[in-house]
Amino acid sequence: HTAQSQLEAALLDANSTLTAQQAAAQAQTTVTDAAKKAYEEATAALDAYVRAQSRRYTTAELRLTSLDFRCPLDSYGRITTQFGEADPWGIPHRGTDFAAPGGTPIYAIADGIVSAARAMNSYVQVSHGTADDGCRYDSLYAHMSSIAVAEGTAVRRGDLLGYVGNTGNVYGAGGGYHLHLELRVNGSRTDPLGYVPSR
């Protein structure tokens, strides 16, 4: 009888521990879901802004004379996240991440005009205009530690835009320092490495 009540007590204890673990897991899921939702909302707002800025600056005169893009960094460690690869939330990655030490200079991949430069979100967008293929091109450089250009500035291929940082939503080894590069063709994100050399 004592063994039975001890067993019941042990079962009850195990059950309440399990319930506590489930409650903790549920709370963590709720926090993660809220963070994911906030991240998705912020990304959507940012997206709407950079698209509007692209439309504002991409005039008929803004022409991209060559699709001879350059690598945005003279040197970097490695590519840590590929375009389309799922992030920890399962969201497909919107660009390509180049791991590099903090302060590494970031250069324009092609001629264009700075259509967005936001210190708050630590990114620069360059609108390159319409190329001979009839497509519109925009590049976006994110997680900068500092920005070297202002909105409305004309830039040439290879001009300094800013420096690698770890601002915003970053994670990973070495403090997460990297350049997040996005390329949009006709407003749609595409794999930058389909156009931009990795070296």
Side-chain angles (χ1 to χ4, degrees):
H1 178 253
T2 311
Q4 179 66 27
S5 57
Q6 280 176 335
L7 183 62
E8 283 171 9
L11 276 171
L12 199 65
D13 189 42
N15 197 42
S16 62
T17 301
L18 191 64
T19 305
Q21 284 174 345
Q22 286 169 330
Q26 184 60 50
Q28 183 56 46
T29 302
T30 305
V31 167
T32 304
D33 284 350
K36 180 181 176 181
K37 189 171 189 288
Y39 170 74
E40 287 179 319
E41 283 171 1
T43 303
L46 184 74
D47 227 35
Y49 173 74
V50 295
R51 282 172 195 272
Q53 290 299 98
S54 170
R55 283 193 297 274
R56 184 175 157 205
Y57 282 97
T58 304
T59 59
E61 298 79 55
L62 188 63
R63 304 285 304 171
L64 181 59
T65 54
S66 166
L67 290 182
D68 177 27
F69 294 111
R70 64 156 283 164
C71 184
L73 303 173
D74 282 344
S75 68
Y76 63 93
R78 63 191 182 90
I79 290 172
T80 51
T81 313
Q82 296 280 355
F83 176 79
E85 198 177 306
D87 72 8
W89 284 318
I91 300 168
H93 198 63
R94 297 169 165 94
T96 299
D97 289 351
F98 297 81
T104 301
I106 300 167
Y107 303 103
I109 61 169
D111 296 358
I113 189 157
V114 177
S115 54
R118 309 254 319 233
M120 186 183 77
N121 300 96
S122 63
Y123 71 87
V124 166
Q125 175 176 264
V126 177
S127 292
H128 303 289
T130 307
D132 292 343
D133 63 1
C135 296
R136 235 177 51 248
Y137 291 84
D138 297 275
S139 55
L140 187 139
Y141 313 76
H143 306 308
M144 291 183 167
S145 60
S146 65
I147 293 172
V149 289
E151 185 183 312
T153 308
V155 292
R156 308 284 300 171
R157 178 183 185 272
D159 280 359
L160 178 70
L161 299 177
Y163 301 91
V164 169
N166 65 348
T167 51
N169 191 45
V170 300
Y171 51 88
Y177 286 94
H178 69 280
L179 165 65
H180 170 86
L181 176 70
E182 292 186 10
L183 184 68
R184 286 186 176 83
V185 180
N186 292 329
S188 296
R189 284 188 189 88
T190 188
D191 183 355
L193 298 183
Y195 294 84
V196 178
S198 58
R199 288 288 175 206

